[in-house]
Amino acid sequence: EELDRARNMLKCNVLTQLESRLVLFEDIGRQILTYGKREDAATMCAKIDAVSKEDIREVVRKAIKQPPTFSTVGIDIKNVPKVEEVTQWLGGDLPRKKSTKSWF
């Protein structure tokens, strides 16, 4: 199953990254700031295993309800699509606002 493969890849990536002391210390700091405690690798893997297809569907549903956010770097940005165009590609409508401002 694809979800099982994705879970295993994520766990492998997380555990491999934690072999680096720099990444490990970053992770410890981030967890303490976020959760107020440090979770061990087994707990992280259990949380990854607990993610269901429905959890992923719900995150995607929430994400596509919002207009996309993106940025462009460079001088020639004429080929970068407008937010409205990307929103159409994703099958959504932009929320209506009283006024819209553009930097361009």
Side-chain angles (χ1 to χ4, degrees):
E1 181 177 321
E2 194 168 333
L3 182 55
D4 289 332
R5 188 170 60 245
R7 284 186 192 119
N8 289 334
M9 287 176 60
L10 178 58
K11 289 187 290 188
C12 181
N13 188 6
V14 167
L15 296 174
T16 301
Q17 289 294 317
L18 292 177
E19 290 177 1
S20 161
R21 287 222 184 265
L22 178 63
V23 175
L24 176 63
F25 292 141
E26 246 180 67
D27 183 61
I28 290 170
R30 186 177 307 110
Q31 285 190 32
I32 290 173
L33 288 172
T34 304
Y35 306 115
K37 64 179 180 170
R38 167 84 161 99
E39 293 183 338
D40 62 5
T43 302
M44 282 191 282
C45 289
K47 286 184 175 186
I48 292 168
D49 286 335
V51 173
S52 69
K53 289 179 185 178
E54 189 52 43
D55 294 331
I56 295 170
R57 284 185 189 112
E58 187 60 29
V59 168
V60 171
R61 280 186 205 111
K62 288 178 181 178
I64 62 175
K65 286 182 180 180
Q66 302 297 318
T69 301
F70 57 97
S71 64
T72 303
V73 176
I75 296 171
D76 184 11
I77 61 169
K78 68 179 179 251
N79 293 322
V80 175
K82 303 269 187 225
V83 172
E84 294 83 7
E85 189 175 1
V86 174
T87 301
Q88 276 187 329
W89 294 342
L90 298 173
D93 294 321
L94 284 173
R96 304 279 185 229
K97 294 183 180 179
K98 291 183 180 177
S99 67
T100 57
K101 295 181 181 180
S102 173
W103 293 97
F104 305 103

